[in-house]
Amino acid sequence: MNIFEKIDMDMLTKTEKSFSLVFSIVVIAELIAGSVESLNTYHYFTKPLILISLIFFFWKHAQHLDAKTKWLTLLALVFSLTGDVLLMFVNASANYFINGLLAFLLAHVMYVLVFLRKRKHSKKVYPFTIILLLYAATVFYFLKDGLRDLLLPVMVYMGVILLMVVTAFLRQGSVPKNSYILVFLGALFFITSDSLLALNKFYEPLPFSNIGIMLTYSIAQLFIVFGLIKQS
């Protein structure tokens, strides 16, 4: 059965819909602040606020989850926030990019550990993994000439984010449908965001790159948080 068949029309609760509105305003503010040079100072406030708002929302609404799932997810969000902050200063030093990459790698490791806790052992993963590897190989083909000293770190990072997507896929059948769909879509949005960021940095500048990267990234984190909260 297609995972998008028979999706509940009321997937989000009233509280989640209200938060989505507030979250959208924060994201739009960041897109504007990050794109308009005269407002760039506000970017140092609006960008961290995206993850800060998610951390507080998750903390308030995840009390029903088991302790390991809750704390691993919080660590993933905190590492993501750390990565966001570090990447704001990449123009000052290349070390900020390396450290930001490491922070996001740790965030993905935390998500992998969370997703594995609800994996369905009997689910066939090979066809989906092959599709992901073909996608990763295509992206890497465009990146390889621009990576230079970052070749190995980026390859390791790509491997970890692919594992994150695969483990999100493995949750199907072991969690409520809405939880699975939201987390899986979030994982796909995450790899899309990282692909856009990598292509923009190591291949060639992309038009409206800031908007594309931050929009897909914000949706990814929001969907994963909502999906995990719906996990029984």
Side-chain angles (χ1 to χ4, degrees), residues 2-48:
N2 189 303
I3 65 169
F4 301 108
E5 289 180 2
K6 300 182 180 179
I7 297 177
D8 292 346
M9 294 301 292
D10 194 22
M11 181 179 286
L12 301 181
T13 65
K14 185 178 294 186
T15 300
E16 289 165 347
K17 290 176 181 177
S18 298
F19 176 76
S20 296
L21 178 60
V22 175
F23 186 77
S24 298
I25 293 172
V26 173
V27 172
I28 291 170
E30 159 56 17
L31 295 179
I32 295 172
S35 302
V36 180
E37 188 173 352
S38 60
L39 300 175
N40 200 243
T41 301
Y42 297 102
H43 166 66
Y44 295 95
F45 170 75
T46 54
K47 186 176 182 181

Side-chain angles (χ1 to χ4, degrees), residues 10 18 20 26 83 98 116 127-128 166 178 189:
D10 194 22
S18 298
S20 296
V26 173
I98 296 294
L116 282 176
F128 179 67
V166 170
N178 288 349
F189 272 109

